[in-house]
Amino acid sequence: MAVWKCLFLMCLMGYSSMASSSLCTPQILSSVEKKETRTTLIPRQLLFGNPEKANPRLSPDGKHLAYLAPDAQNVLNVWLRDSNGDKDKQITSDKKRGIRSFLWQLDGAHILYIQDKDGDENWHLYQTNIQTGATKDLTPYEGVKADIVDYDVHFPNEMLIQMNLRDPSLFDIYRLNLQTGQVQLDTENLGGVFHWVADHNMHIRLAQSYTENGSMLIRVRENKEAPWKELLTLDPSEVGGAVDGFAPDNQSFYLVSSLGGDTARLLHVNATTGEQRLIIEDGQYDLADVMTHPTKYTLEAVGFDKERYEWLVLDPQLKGDFEFLSQTLKGSFRLTSRDLANQKWVVASLSDVRSTQFYTYNRDQKKLEFLFSTQPVLDSYTLSPMTPISFDARDGMKLYGYLTLPSDRPAKLLPTILLVHGGPWARDSWGLNSTVQWLANRGYAILQINFRGSTGYGKRYLNAGDREWADKMHADLLDGKQWMINHGYADPQKVAIYGGSYGGYATLVGLTFTPDEFCCGVDIVGPSNLITLLQTLPPYWIPLKSQINRRLGSLETDMAQLRERSPLFKASQIKKPLLIAQGANDPRVKQAESDQIVQAMRHNNLPVEYLLFADEGHGFARPENRLKFAAAAEAFLTTYLGGRHEPASSTENWEALKR
């Protein structure tokens, strides 16, 4: 899949997970010679407010550059500059949520972006004319979720999208005419299909679904009129399984799966026979990204999210480019945009102690030019390095993660925060993390653990977390806490647990199942009752039900275990203070998940603070809300951990959010 398309789709699916940054794009900073002393508080505005600029994207012909930046009302919108350096102009005019992901239309005359309503995740696709600013909702259907499936350079006026218009639980394929806005049903869902793949003729040729036991079924057809046939069935234990598009011959495809190994590897699969050929793998880490030529579909490079992000070049013609970029940028980088000629790139230079710097790179001239940084002012502050670590769990399993220590004080007996990632089928990665830098600046040590069940380390690592919620997955977190104590980093009496989504659940588990382990907890959109969580998942998650049943438990057969692993039913055991934040429109973890545990705690006169964001969903998209939450969490942590505290500004007052 071409990088310019792949990145848009990844943002579309994942921006509202409990990510470390406020945007899908990498955060970015420039170099500033003078550094403030480490005792200076970094303003929350620099860490959780809008960026100055972000997410630069080249037009298909490479002549224009679009990017995200706040407008006069501090709402993120798309702006445009051109190669002549004329004055930048605002193109889009979103009024509230802010645009977090966008794509150039292949005609070079329009921008496409997605937007939902107050966090409900029913995405609409919008089209904006870059000259007039006229904007059209291309999918104006209430309560319907639209996603881009395919957009090909050889068919610039058409796009394949999926919508659950006919059935809320199923996504059908529609062909969208980008000139007229006409939407026509193209392929009806076979039943349970969660992923569609088009060939290079923009015909849907591959469908992926799960069977009753959680196996992944891959169906193919020879052409758009041919019947579907079953090609491959991947065992539930395999990781990956994503089809990354058809190969140049249009008769085979690229599959990222652990099939035949332990880690997710890149396979070439014959679409007629199902025969597989290994292209590349890493023995320890799952494949993270596949880069293909934007018009020829040939493989160019793959990325692995190891301790730090690393590339492996497959196309010899790009080897010199990657070597030049690696040597010049002196560290990890990502390719975030390019023109269709594949001669002009936008590159993001990554770091853990400065935000990402964006550059344009001309391949012909081997010339790298600085574009901009997202928060240049942040560079006047010294940030804390994120160090990869590993340790053995109590059962001998080796676990991985990251440790960040405040750099202005001895790394000894520090107030500590165990920061738990969401998912749980996700992972923490190295790089600039706004939450981590904020907490380190306030004087806390931060430990991030990729506990069993996390992705990125192969199928044995992932499958070790099956049905281990509140059990071995939680034990991994406790073992991490003990590792911090054994190494002298953590004050045993001042360790907090903090997280969002699954990390919020882990926080509730920490305070209910092990009430003496943590001095306080911060839960963001975390489920409190696994039974009601599964009963109220969005209808379009139904195709994923068999996988969820396998990894978490089934309502039909595991009700007792689900109840046993639910913090709600142990709420009376809570001893330590808890801060809960919830989006009222969260489609994944409903407001009731927070309401019910708050009610149970207050019934027992237990210490809880509850913030409800009326215009948010699964996380906080609006900078106003991010700042209010951060101010509230900072005051809470200062009370119970003793860290430093920036007084809340008038715009950060969270009193009206209390419930």
Side-chain angles (χ1 to χ4, degrees):
M1 181 180 291
V3 168
W4 57 269
K5 180 166 58 180
C6 180
L7 288 171
F8 180 79
L9 298 181
M10 286 191 292
C11 266
L12 179 68
M13 297 179 65
Y15 93 91
S16 58
S17 62
M18 298 308 302
S20 62
S21 62
S22 58
L23 297 170
C24 272
T25 55
Q27 294 199 351
I28 41 182
L29 295 175
S30 62
S31 297
V32 176
E33 292 182 2
K34 182 180 178 181
K35 297 278 187 180
E36 296 287 345
T37 63
R38 191 63 181 86
T39 55
T40 303
L41 286 175
I42 301 176
R44 284 184 295 269
Q45 178 66 41
L46 291 180
L47 293 164
F48 300 109
N50 275 332
E52 288 189 15
K53 295 184 181 73
N55 200 21
R57 290 191 175 278
L58 289 167
S59 60
D61 62 7
K63 294 181 179 179
H64 300 276
L65 183 84
Y67 60 90
L68 294 175
D71 62 14
Q73 287 71 45
N74 196 34
V75 178
L76 278 180
N77 273 287
V78 180
W79 293 65
L80 179 70
R81 71 170 59 166
D82 63 30
S83 57
N84 296 322
D86 293 340
K87 184 178 180 181
D88 297 359
K89 71 172 184 177
Q90 182 181 333
I91 301 172
T92 62
S93 55
D94 189 83
K95 302 299 183 185
K96 184 179 181 181
R97 296 284 288 170
I99 296 170
R100 286 141 283 161
S101 180
F102 72 93
L103 174 72
W104 275 96
Q105 193 168 316
L106 289 170
D107 64 1
H110 297 85
I111 290 292
L112 302 170
Y113 68 92
I114 57 169
Q115 188 59 279
D116 68 346
K117 183 178 181 181
D118 292 337
D120 65 4
E121 297 186 17
N122 288 323
W123 302 104
H124 287 216
L125 179 63
Y126 292 87
Q127 178 191 61
T128 298
N129 185 295
I130 66 171
Q131 296 301 324
T132 67
T135 298
K136 180 190 299 185
D137 184 350
L138 298 174
T139 57
Y141 310 107
E142 282 299 313
V144 173
K145 178 182 172 73
D147 296 325
I148 294 176
V149 172
D150 198 51
Y151 189 30
D152 192 277
V153 62
H154 301 105
F155 302 90
N157 297 321
E158 292 184 355
M159 178 176 283
L160 292 176
I161 62 173
Q162 65 177 23
M163 292 189 291
N164 56 344
L165 180 61
R166 179 180 58 88
D167 183 333
S169 67
L170 296 174
F171 288 95
D172 300 318
I173 296 293
Y174 294 83
R175 194 170 294 271
L176 170 64
N177 187 310
L178 292 169
Q179 291 182 312
T180 66
Q182 181 182 5
V183 175
Q184 182 179 0
L185 179 65
D186 181 273
T187 305
E188 194 168 300
N189 200 301
L190 306 170
V193 174
F194 67 89
H195 183 56
W196 302 94
V197 181
D199 66 11
H200 305 315
N201 295 318
M202 286 277 280
H203 296 155
I204 293 293
R205 294 260 314 283
L206 189 147
Q208 294 181 262
S209 58
Y210 286 113
T211 65
E212 288 186 5
N213 74 343
S215 295
M216 180 182 290
L217 174 62
I218 298 178
R219 294 186 182 99
V220 297
R221 59 183 178 181
E222 293 183 8
N223 54 61
K224 63 179 181 179
E225 288 85 19
W228 290 96
K229 70 171 186 177
E230 296 183 1
L231 182 72
L232 283 178
T233 301
L234 307 182
D235 188 82
S237 65
E238 304 294 353
V239 298
V243 173
D244 203 81
F246 276 81
D249 64 6
N250 229 14
Q251 301 303 316
S252 55
F253 57 87
Y254 302 124
L255 174 66
V256 178
S257 172
S258 61
L259 187 64
D262 180 61
T263 56
R265 55 234 284 263
L266 184 61
L267 299 169
H268 177 277
V269 181
N270 186 298
T272 302
T273 66
E275 180 184 357
Q276 304 122 41
R277 174 175 58 84
L278 176 64
I279 299 173
I280 196 72
E281 69 176 335
D282 182 271
Q284 181 177 355
Y285 297 95
D286 292 332
L287 184 72
D289 289 308
V290 179
M291 175 177 164
T292 57
H293 192 281
T295 61
K296 299 176 182 177
Y297 319 112
T298 51
L299 289 172
E300 295 184 315
V302 292
F304 292 95
D305 195 359
K306 300 186 179 184
E307 289 187 344
R308 295 170 176 81
Y309 193 86
E310 296 181 16
W311 286 102
L312 197 152
V313 181
L314 302 177
D315 184 347
Q317 296 185 31
L318 271 65
K319 200 172 189 65
D321 298 299
F322 277 79
E323 289 177 352
F324 173 82
L325 291 171
S326 180
Q327 293 169 4
T328 307
L329 298 175
K330 294 179 171 46
S332 299
F333 65 91
R334 300 291 291 269
L335 174 61
T336 63
S337 176
R338 51 182 167 163
D339 63 3
L340 292 178
N342 204 21
Q343 293 303 311
K344 192 173 183 180
W345 295 355
V346 173
V347 178
S349 173
L350 309 177
S351 174
D352 55 338
V353 292
R354 59 161 174 76
S355 51
T356 309
Q357 300 167 344
F358 283 111
Y359 296 81
T360 55
Y361 170 62
N362 187 303
R363 291 184 61 207
D364 286 337
Q365 303 172 7
K366 289 287 191 295
K367 184 178 181 182
L368 196 65
E369 292 186 358
F370 179 73
L371 267 178
F372 56 69
S373 298
T374 298
Q375 290 286 23
V377 178
L378 188 57
D379 269 348
S380 63
Y381 297 86
T382 302
L383 303 183
S384 296
M386 180 184 285
T387 303
I389 59 100
S390 65
F391 61 91
D392 290 335
R394 63 190 65 180
D395 63 358
M397 181 174 172
K398 184 171 286 296
L399 301 173
Y400 302 90
Y402 297 91
L403 173 65
T404 304
L405 300 169
S407 57
D408 66 335
R409 61 197 64 194
K412 184 178 181 181
L413 297 178
L414 294 164
T416 296
I417 295 176
L418 183 58
L419 184 61
V420 188
H421 70 68
W425 309 296
R427 61 161 290 177
D428 281 315
S429 297
W430 178 87
L432 185 72
N433 182 308
S434 297
T435 299
V436 168
Q437 293 300 330
W438 163 57
L439 296 173
N441 178 259
R442 272 36 175 184
Y444 306 119
I446 303 98
L447 179 64
Q448 299 168 275
I449 302 172
N450 286 325
F451 45 85
R452 71 190 68 203
S454 299
T455 57
Y457 301 91
K459 62 187 175 189
R460 286 193 295 269
Y461 203 96
L462 175 66
N463 295 329
D466 286 357
R467 302 198 175 205
E468 295 293 349
W469 291 41
D471 198 347
K472 290 183 180 179
M473 291 164 74
H474 184 59
D476 290 346
L477 301 179
L478 299 181
D479 291 345
K481 174 198 167 187
Q482 191 60 46
W483 181 87
M484 292 286 287
I485 294 171
N486 292 346
H487 282 74
Y489 296 128
D491 180 343
Q493 305 305 314
K494 289 187 177 182
V495 180
I497 185 168
Y498 180 129
S501 195
Y502 175 84
Y505 166 83
T507 296
L508 298 178
V509 169
L511 269 61
T512 54
F513 286 68
T514 52
D516 296 314
E517 289 284 349
F518 301 99
C519 67
C520 63
V522 178
D523 155 33
I524 309 164
V525 298
S528 63
N529 182 348
L530 299 182
I531 296 172
T532 52
L533 171 72
L534 294 179
Q535 289 173 336
T536 58
L537 288 174
Y540 47 81
W541 283 38
I542 290 176
L544 309 178
K545 185 174 182 291
S546 61
Q547 265 289 316
I548 294 173
N549 289 348
R550 170 184 168 82
R551 299 210 181 274
L552 176 55
S554 167
L555 288 170
E556 290 74 24
T557 59
D558 304 302
M559 189 71 77
Q561 178 175 311
L562 292 171
R563 180 182 175 88
E564 176 63 25
R565 305 287 176 87
S566 297
L568 175 65
F569 303 109
K570 297 182 184 294
S572 61
Q573 299 184 34
I574 295 177
K575 299 178 182 179
K576 304 299 171 59
L578 176 63
L579 171 64
I580 295 178
Q582 176 70 45
N585 304 309
D586 191 339
R588 312 183 201 184
V589 178
K590 299 292 194 296
Q591 179 184 329
E593 292 298 317
S594 292
D595 288 350
Q596 58 196 357
I597 196 163
V598 168
Q599 182 180 4
M601 290 180 67
R602 287 178 175 165
H603 178 76
N604 293 307
N605 296 314
L606 297 172
V608 61
E609 297 180 35
Y610 184 25
L611 306 180
L612 181 65
F613 294 80
D615 56 353
E616 292 288 4
H618 200 62
F620 312 127
R622 303 187 67 205
E624 300 93 328
N625 292 330
R626 293 196 298 270
L627 287 164
K628 288 177 181 178
F629 167 73
E634 186 169 312
F636 176 86
L637 293 170
T638 297
T639 300
Y640 300 108
L641 284 180
R644 299 186 303 157
H645 176 225
E646 178 191 4
S649 66
S650 58
T651 58
E652 292 177 319
N653 189 298
W654 65 89
E655 287 297 320
L657 300 172
K658 289 183 176 179
R659 294 293 184 271

